[in-house]
Amino acid sequence: MRAILSRPGLRARTTVVAVVAMAATFVLAGLVVILLLERSLDNSTTEDARSAGRQVVNEIAKEGARSLTADDVASTGDTASVIQVLDRAGRPVASDPAIAGEPPLTSARPAPGRETVETVSRSVGGTEDDYRLVSAGVAGPGGPYVVVSARSLDPVTEASARLSLLLVLAAVPLLAFSALAVYGAVGSALRPVERMRRAVAEISTRDLSRRVDLPPGQDELHRLAATLNSMLDRLASAQGAQRRFVADASHELRSPLNTITTALGVAEHHPAAMSTAELLGVVSQETGRLRELVDDLLLLARTDDTSDNPPHAEVDLDDLARTEAERARAGRQVEVEISTAPAKTSGNPAQLRRAVRNLVDNACEHARHRIRVRTTTEDSTAVIEVGDDGPGVPPADRARIFERFVRRDDARHHPSGTTGGSAGLGLAIVAGIAARHGGRADCVEGTDPAYPGAHFRIHLPLKDTT
């Protein structure tokens, strides 16, 4: 119990809330029962007093009060129930033996045929108590008279007190039993959660193959376990992708380093086989590859980092696409068709320019004779499309080609490989930039016979200009 109170957990808090709610219910129900009992006993006391006084009223109405004796108005023989008869001057003419010689019980003087009901605190027979008084006026020989019938309210108070004590004595063990029952029930309900916690705690980053057992039923615990397993699946997938990424990045970085190392070794041990100019050319070329690869990796890291918030501005996608298309037209031996419609979005201009440039360069690398760059709008989406008349992308590769370090077999024999360096990061960068801007990138089958090759598209949220 000390541990529960010092570190209140879910079980303890639930138990406290349940016990407090049950205690409040007991109190409310007890108050209602006690009030109903008091009301019933109070009405019963009034009726008893009225019934006892009515007998005397009937007798006075017939024969008057002169023949009344103490025995005629005597009730129980104690002060719990007494009757007193008053004349027109308010003097007692007959009284219960228990109150013989005492002054009038009340100052009420109802007219004949009328009655008054009141509660007074009086000292009767030397005992201070609350009484219910029913005073009835009656006209008889020598009258009028007032018959006062008094009943003690002590039995009502005593019954209420006993019932209150009984309810308290019954509530304490009930609340204790309820607390134990709720505490145990919550613990039993949370036992699957504890098993899940232990299972997740035993899962290490080296082995993400284990999964949480699904509890029976289709309740919240079952859905929690399913969500945990889904999260573990995503973590395992992300870990596998990270490991493949590191392995592929290491392989791609090793290739230019090996080339530089080989060239330096040849120049050192066989100076005649390689001139200084040739050595500088190899080193310069491979250093450029290294720099491009490192830049691509850093850009991918920034697109993955959700805490990185580059400056955003309004970007005219049609102007951006036209600029990149004109650059390709000036520097490539392919025809470039440009078809742009106004389209604005909000984003980082440099990153969006890089994404469009990667698609344009990729199309130029794989096109036979021509490429097409165009922008359109579809409902609330801006679309940048770059198509070519090259060999295209098989349907099975259209989603996989946006993954990192993924290159199709035919691209490996291309002089420059996939855009973004020969490492296969160009389209991954496009997909990452599109996702960071709330959009997506995809590859679809071309419908124009003049451009039967690959059709890459970037979908971005259209900026509201209203």
Side-chain angles (χ1 to χ4, degrees), residues 152-452:
S152 174
L153 293 176
D154 184 62
V156 177
T157 305
E158 184 177 354
S160 299
R162 288 180 178 179
L163 180 59
S164 300
L165 179 61
L166 179 62
L167 291 177
V168 170
L169 294 178
V172 171
L174 285 176
L175 290 176
F177 176 77
S178 301
L180 293 177
V182 172
Y183 191 78
V186 175
S188 177
L190 292 178
R191 197 168 294 121
V193 179
E194 176 63 17
R195 287 197 295 267
M196 294 181 207
R197 186 196 65 79
R198 292 178 181 176
V200 173
E202 293 174 358
I203 297 176
S204 64
T205 56
R206 295 185 178 182
D207 182 16
L208 292 176
S209 60
R210 291 190 56 185
R211 293 296 179 267
V212 175
D213 295 333
L214 295 177
Q218 298 296 325
D219 55 3
E220 290 79 0
L221 293 178
H222 182 90
R223 293 194 291 271
L224 173 61
T227 302
L228 287 176
N229 286 338
S230 176
M231 180 190 68
L232 291 173
D233 290 338
R234 293 193 299 270
L235 289 176
S237 176
Q239 185 188 62
Q242 184 182 26
R243 288 177 176 175
R244 291 191 301 271
F245 178 78
V246 173
D248 292 339
S250 300
H251 174 76
E252 297 294 339
L253 290 171
R254 188 182 296 114
S255 178
L257 289 176
N258 288 340
T259 302
I260 294 174
T261 302
T262 301
L264 291 175
V266 170
E268 180 182 3
H269 296 95
H270 305 283
M274 179 176 290
S275 65
T276 302
E278 291 174 333
L279 174 62
L280 291 177
V282 171
V283 172
S284 177
Q285 180 180 358
E286 297 304 317
T287 301
R289 289 179 57 192
L290 279 174
R291 183 186 303 109
E292 185 177 2
L293 178 58
V294 170
D295 290 342
D296 289 345
L297 291 175
L298 290 176
L299 180 56
L300 281 174
R302 284 196 296 271
T303 59
D304 289 340
D305 185 7
T306 57
S307 63
D308 179 48
N309 295 312
H312 279 50
E314 183 181 280
V315 180
D316 290 312
L317 295 177
D318 52 319
D319 293 343
L320 191 152
R322 180 174 293 276
T323 299
E324 292 301 317
E326 294 289 353
R327 180 187 61 83
R329 176 182 289 173
R332 305 282 182 174
Q333 299 298 320
V334 293
E335 297 179 10
V336 180
E337 178 185 344
I338 304 174
S339 175
T340 58
K344 294 181 182 291
T345 190
S346 177
N348 181 262
Q351 290 188 2
L352 293 175
R353 182 181 300 276
R354 176 63 184 275
V356 176
R357 176 172 298 181
N358 281 9
L359 291 186
V360 172
D361 289 347
N362 180 75
C364 290
E365 291 289 344
H366 295 87
R368 292 189 177 95
H369 305 290
R370 65 179 67 86
I371 70 171
R372 179 173 62 189
V373 180
R374 65 177 182 176
T375 59
T376 59
T377 58
E378 298 176 358
D379 296 330
S380 60
T381 303
V383 181
I384 304 174
E385 180 179 335
V386 179
D388 60 66
D389 62 348
V393 179
D397 293 334
R398 288 174 184 169
R400 191 176 64 90
I401 200 171
F402 289 99
E403 298 177 5
R404 299 169 185 184
F405 297 106
V406 172
R407 289 171 295 180
R408 292 162 44 213
D409 293 337
D410 58 345
R412 296 181 186 276
H413 303 292
H414 198 279
S416 301
T418 306
T419 302
S422 61
L425 295 177
L427 296 179
I429 291 174
V430 172
I433 292 175
R436 281 302 304 273
H437 288 77
R440 60 185 176 88
D442 60 11
C443 178
V444 298
E445 182 177 359
T447 57
D448 190 342
Y451 299 93

